[in-house]
Amino acid sequence: MKLLIIEDEPALSKSIAAYLAGESYLCEFADTFAKALEKIALYSYDCILLDLMLPGGSGLKILEELKRQNKADGVIIISAKNALEDKIQGLQIGADDYLAKPFHLSELTARIHAVIRRKQFGHSNLIKQNELEIDLLAKSVQVKEMPVLLTKKELDLLLYFIGNKNRVISKAALAEHLSGDLADMLDSHDFVYAHIKNLKKKLHEAGCDSYLKTIYGVGYKWEL
Amino acid sequence: MKQLLNKPLRAFAGYAFLILLCSIPAYYYFMDYIWISELNEHNRIIAEKTKYNLNAIANQDSTLAQTIGLWNKLQPNTDLQPTPTIQPDSIYNLYKQKPHAPNQDIDRFQGLVTYFSIQGQPFRFRVETNVEESYETILTITGVTLVFFIFLVLGFILINKRISARLWQPFYATLQKLRAFSLDKQQSITFDPANIAEFEELNQALSSLIESNLGVYKQQKEFTENASHELQTPIAIVQSKLDLLLQNQNLTQEQSSYIDEANQALARVSRINKNLLLLSKLENVQYARQESINLSELLSDTVLLFADYAEGKNIAINTILEPGVSATGNKVLVEILLTNLILNAIKHNVDHGSIQIKLSPDRLVIANSGTTTLLFDQLFRRFGRASTHTPSTGLGLAIVKEIATKHNWTICYEFQGNWHYFSLILTP
């Protein structure tokens, strides 16, 4: 899958590429407005990560250009501006998602996953992984063809883990995923533990292999 | 507080009183002096006339003693007696009982004693004329002076009132405008032209002061905004590097804990940054939208949001929410306000503590168990440290206060019986 990272900070784009390295992603970079315009005109991408403040112009212009060319590339805006109007404007022009800096790479990865999935399969898609099967439309989970009842948050976590498989995810990142913008105000992320414990228990009881590993003192990892 | 114009009024009244007070003895002295000199002259005329007349009629020796005897009987205030020698004249002033008066009545008399000879025989002549008593004179003058003083003061007050109403009108107009002024609103003031030079100067000085202040304020806000924005990207880079570092297979537990601590500190930096940004943008148009907000719903949603977190910290949340309580405001901001208040109640709680949230149409009270009272004057200040407790951004309550003020609500704090009470009073 092809990914374009439009970001003027090389340190950040390199981090993103490095994090995604194990997956079947092919990352390309554009660090200026002009380069970005050139790339989107020449190629198609499964997902474009778009910074709004670029040397040479606004990222929103690139988004408009994409829509003008009727491109179906998925777009996730990554911006230092967390202003509501930017978010609304970006989504109105046609971005698929909006992620404010700073973010956890695991969060970004989960969102890239979600965008690509939507683009490729529409909404009626199934995620299969050995004995585990998730129907995203019905929001249901089956293990060995037997349904497992998960709460909304547990399902959310499960998708997050699968989107970040084989990566260590910190508790802070999980807390942020679960409680959104509030996470960095919370001084303890213990509540994450309760949800993970339940998820593990339910999957285990349904006969699912224990893919979810606890990395002591750090976080969790979905190991395949 | 005294009004400016009342100060000179008091001084004027005091000065007038002093002068009028001094005038009383002066008037008395002059009046009495005129009285006495006139009476002395009068007495002298009587003496001269007596001497002349007696010399004219008493030319026979035999009738002189008889005439003088008759004189003394008929002229009540004079007395003519033979004397061995002629002496120099003298005048005197005395109080004595009025002769033949039915009741006791003391009168004042101005007297003259003079010596002259009638047909070569020396005589002593005494004449006394009734003169106004000193105390009566003083009393009358004092009374009249007092009446004038009252008129004077009344006049001062009246003039003062008219002056303050008319003359100071532009001053009060300026004051009114200054009172309504708020730096946050970013609106400069236009003063009405005053027809008094001093006030016009004052208005001009104020206008330029306000203009420059607004400029500085705006600059500072922009600075905060830009600084926060510029910080987000480096924070994002550090965050991504920490995430990458975490993927390292060979991390020791100690190294992992370093990453975790770095992550926590970074989250705090990020939150401070977001809060600063929020504070700097609170007055921007993006938060100008006002709508009717169902506080009961919003509050229960917010409590739900924190249910996990509170449970993880063993804190029970009890709510008594009157249904259908609504308020007009900006929904985004009100959400932030509620979030910050509830979050504070959870964070700064005791182990196994609890929180009481009570919403009524006029107020919202969020109470949480605690041990010691917080420093009130530090509580709502930016980066104020109201307690030495858990680290925080130091901006949460400052934001609460700013949002409350923006909506014309009041936020109060009280510590009572090991409970911290934060009340948001919704009626202005």
Side-chain angles (χ1 to χ4, degrees), chain A residues 9 11 15 81 85 101 103-105 153 167-168 181-182 184-188 191 195 216 218, chain B residues 229 232-233 235 237 239-241 243 246-247 253 256 271 274 286 305 308-309 313 339 343 347:
Chain A
E9 287 288 339
S15 291
K81 274 191 180 173
E85 69 260 42
K101 287 179 189 172
F103 47 76
H104 285 284
L105 291 176
K153 279 186 178 162
R167 296 217 166 44
V168 180
D181 200 29
L182 298 173
D184 51 14
M185 293 202 265
L186 311 179
D187 56 352
S188 127
F191 64 95
H195 290 294
Y216 186 77
V218 181
Chain B
H229 270 147
Q232 295 290 61
T233 304
I235 293 172
I237 293 170
Q239 180 73 76
S240 70
K241 299 299 173 195
D243 283 348
L246 210 56
Q247 308 308 322
Q253 203 168 314
S256 304
R271 169 51 54 183
K274 280 183 201 167
Q286 75 176 97
L305 211 61
D308 271 351
Y309 175 59
K313 295 197 77 171
T339 304
L343 198 66
K347 261 192 197 170

Side-chain angles (χ1 to χ4, degrees), chain B residues 104-388:
Chain B
Q104 283 235 327
D105 195 357
I106 302 290
D107 258 315
R108 183 182 174 215
F109 292 89
Q110 180 69 19
L112 167 72
V113 176
T114 182
Y115 296 85
F116 52 80
S117 31
I118 303 166
Q119 293 179 344
Q121 213 180 318
F123 275 90
R124 178 173 157 276
F125 180 75
R126 185 165 58 88
V127 58
E128 284 175 353
T129 313
N130 184 263
V131 57
E132 188 63 39
E133 286 80 15
S134 323
Y135 68 90
E136 277 181 6
T137 315
I138 291 173
L139 226 63
T140 314
I141 292 175
T142 308
V144 171
T145 307
L146 212 69
V147 168
F148 276 109
F149 176 72
I150 288 167
F151 277 125
L152 209 59
V153 170
L154 282 178
F156 279 162
I157 292 173
L158 219 71
I159 292 169
N160 203 35
K161 269 197 171 168
R162 291 194 64 166
I163 289 178
S164 63
R166 271 224 325 269
L167 198 77
W168 286 85
Q169 191 271 332
F171 175 79
Y172 290 119
T174 301
L175 196 67
Q176 194 70 36
K177 289 204 167 160
L178 284 181
R179 277 212 189 102
F181 175 73
S182 150
L183 254 184
D184 294 345
K185 286 185 185 139
Q186 291 281 304
Q187 277 169 345
S188 70
I189 301 182
T190 40
F191 294 107
D192 300 328
N195 51 6
I196 292 165
E198 282 88 345
F199 290 145
E200 192 58 41
E201 265 175 55
L202 177 74
N203 285 352
Q204 273 168 13
L206 283 173
S207 285
S208 66
L209 182 72
I210 287 167
E211 281 308 319
S212 67
N213 270 346
L214 281 175
V216 170
Y217 185 75
K218 208 174 156 211
Q219 238 176 8
Q220 209 180 347
K221 271 188 136 180
E222 279 169 5
F223 172 78
T224 317
E225 210 174 318
N226 290 338
S228 304
H229 270 147
E230 291 303 319
L231 278 173
Q232 295 290 61
T233 304
I235 293 172
I237 293 170
V238 176
Q239 180 73 76
S240 70
K241 299 299 173 195
L242 286 173
D243 283 348
L244 279 180
L245 204 54
L246 210 56
Q247 308 308 322
N248 195 320
Q249 304 283 341
N250 308 317
L251 278 184
T252 66
Q253 203 168 314
E254 199 185 351
Q255 288 165 336
S256 304
S257 72
Y258 293 160
I259 297 174
D260 192 43
E261 281 161 29
N263 252 328
Q264 278 176 26
L266 198 63
R268 226 170 106 202
V269 174
S270 162
R271 169 51 54 183
I272 292 174
N273 212 24
K274 280 183 201 167
N275 281 349
L276 278 176
L277 204 56
L278 177 67
L279 274 172
S280 72
K281 295 203 301 186
L282 217 51
E283 299 302 330
N284 285 7
V285 269
Q286 75 176 97
Y287 297 119
R289 216 175 96 88
Q290 299 269 312
E291 59 190 305
S292 179
I293 304 162
N294 187 331
L295 279 183
S296 317
E297 272 177 24
L298 190 60
L299 203 54
S300 58
D301 287 352
T302 312
V303 171
L304 208 62
L305 211 61
F306 286 112
D308 271 351
Y309 175 59
E311 205 179 311
K313 295 197 77 171
N314 285 318
I315 284 158
I317 303 181
N318 303 311
T319 53
I320 308 170
L321 308 178
E322 226 171 273
V325 175
S326 67
T328 310
N330 183 280
K331 195 162 179 183
V332 177
L333 293 183
V334 175
E335 244 175 58
I336 292 170
L337 182 146
L338 295 179
T339 304
N340 282 351
L341 278 178
I342 296 172
L343 198 66
N344 259 354
I346 300 173
K347 261 192 197 170
H348 306 285
N349 215 313
V350 295
D351 197 31
H352 285 89
S354 55
I355 297 170
Q356 303 272 359
I357 301 175
K358 200 177 160 193
L359 177 71
S360 51
D362 66 330
R363 69 179 58 205
L364 165 69
V365 180
I366 296 180
N368 66 284
S369 36
T371 46
T372 45
T373 180
L374 301 170
L375 302 170
F376 185 77
D377 51 341
Q378 292 284 318
L379 209 52
F380 296 104
R381 278 183 46 197
R382 293 178 189 188
F383 301 114
R385 287 277 180 262
S387 76
T388 49

Side-chain angles (χ1 to χ4, degrees), chain B residues 64-134:
Chain B
L64 183 63
Q66 208 181 342
T67 310
I68 287 170
L70 200 65
W71 172 273
N72 277 335
K73 269 190 189 127
L74 289 177
Q75 289 287 338
N77 286 326
T78 56
D79 180 45
L80 190 64
Q81 299 293 339
T83 182
T85 52
I86 296 225
Q87 282 174 23
D89 295 353
S90 68
I91 47 175
Y92 62 92
N93 190 289
L94 86 164
Y95 285 85
K96 65 173 187 185
Q97 173 88 38
K98 217 185 257 178
H100 319 299
N103 48 359
Q104 283 235 327
D105 195 357
I106 302 290
D107 258 315
R108 183 182 174 215
F109 292 89
Q110 180 69 19
L112 167 72
V113 176
T114 182
Y115 296 85
F116 52 80
S117 31
I118 303 166
Q119 293 179 344
Q121 213 180 318
F123 275 90
R124 178 173 157 276
F125 180 75
R126 185 165 58 88
V127 58
E128 284 175 353
T129 313
N130 184 263
V131 57
E132 188 63 39
E133 286 80 15
S134 323

Side-chain angles (χ1 to χ4, degrees), chain A residues 24-60:
Chain A
S24 53
Y25 288 117
L26 182 70
C27 291
E28 290 188 13
F29 305 95
D31 57 1
T32 62
F33 185 75
K35 275 189 203 163
L37 275 186
E38 193 188 313
K39 291 251 180 198
I40 60 158
L42 289 175
Y43 312 103
S44 281
Y45 298 90
D46 294 290
C47 189
I48 296 173
L49 304 181
L50 179 63
D51 186 11
L52 288 187
M53 288 189 283
L54 289 169
S58 159
L60 288 175

